[in-house]
Amino acid sequence: MGANYFARRVKNSVLLFCLFSAASCVYARDADLQKCSDADTPAEERTCLETLSHRTNAKLAKLEKEALERVDAWEQEDSYRAATRKSLVDSSQLFKQYRRSQCGLFQSLAAGGNGASDMKLACSIEVTKDRVRQMKDIADALKPR
C-alpha cells in the first residue's frame, strides 16, 4: 500500500466528515430538521423527515397556486400578467429540477452510506423551505387589480 492509497483514504475521510458536518449544519439551522435529528431511532427520524417533507411541499404548492391567482388579479396590462404567469410556471418547473439534482448530489456524495437518503430528504426540505420564502415574497409583491 503506497502513499497514494493513504492520501486517497485521508481525502475521502475528510470529504465524508465535511459532508456529515454540512448535513449537521443544515439540521442546526432549521428547528424542524433539528427536531427530526433528535428522534430516538433512525425510523422515527425518517418518519419525521417524511412528514416534514410532505408538509413543506404542500405549503409550496399552496403558495404557488396563490401566486398564480395573484398574477391573474395583478394591476398590470394583460401582456405583463401573461409573461409573469409564464415565468412563474417555468420557474417552478426549473426549481423542481434543481432540487432533484442538488439533493441527488448530496445523496451521491454520501457514497451509499446509511444516512444518504435522509441527507437527500433533509436537503429537499431545506431547499423547499427557501423556495417557500421566495414564493411568499412574490405573492406579497403582487397587488390585486
Side-chain angles (χ1 to χ4, degrees):
M1 306 218 176
N4 286 339
Y5 171 79
F6 290 110
R8 281 194 312 271
R9 296 281 297 169
V10 168
K11 181 180 172 185
N12 289 342
S13 296
V14 169
L15 177 61
L16 284 175
F17 174 77
C18 290
L19 273 173
F20 291 116
S21 295
S24 297
C25 290
V26 168
Y27 275 49
R29 284 188 354 203
D30 186 277
D32 292 329
L33 287 172
Q34 182 61 50
K35 189 182 346 175
C36 291
S37 80
D38 291 341
D40 292 332
T41 66
E44 288 174 359
E45 179 178 6
R46 181 64 183 197
T47 299
C48 179
L49 287 170
E50 288 172 348
T51 300
L52 184 55
S53 177
H54 178 72
R55 192 171 55 223
T56 305
N57 285 324
K59 186 181 288 187
L60 178 59
K62 180 182 175 201
L63 284 167
E64 286 174 337
K65 182 179 182 223
E66 181 181 319
L68 287 170
E69 289 169 355
R70 288 196 179 188
V71 167
D72 292 340
W74 191 29
E75 297 175 339
Q76 293 295 331
E77 295 174 23
D78 290 344
S79 62
Y80 293 119
R81 284 196 308 273
T84 302
R85 176 179 255 289
K86 181 182 179 334
S87 292
L88 185 56
V89 169
D90 291 349
S91 171
S92 293
Q93 291 172 348
L94 289 170
F95 163 74
K96 290 172 185 159
Q97 289 176 6
Y98 163 77
R99 179 179 59 187
R100 190 170 32 258
S101 295
Q102 182 68 16
C103 297
L105 171 63
F106 280 99
Q107 182 178 21
S108 69
L109 288 172
N114 288 345
S117 62
D118 287 352
M119 288 174 64
K120 180 180 181 181
L121 195 51
C123 170
S124 180
I125 292 164
E126 184 69 20
V127 170
T128 303
K129 283 186 169 200
D130 287 342
R131 180 69 176 175
V132 164
R133 286 186 283 276
Q134 292 171 354
M135 292 307 299
K136 282 181 183 176
D137 291 343
I138 290 167
D140 290 345
L142 294 167
K143 296 178 185 169
R145 284 190 258 181

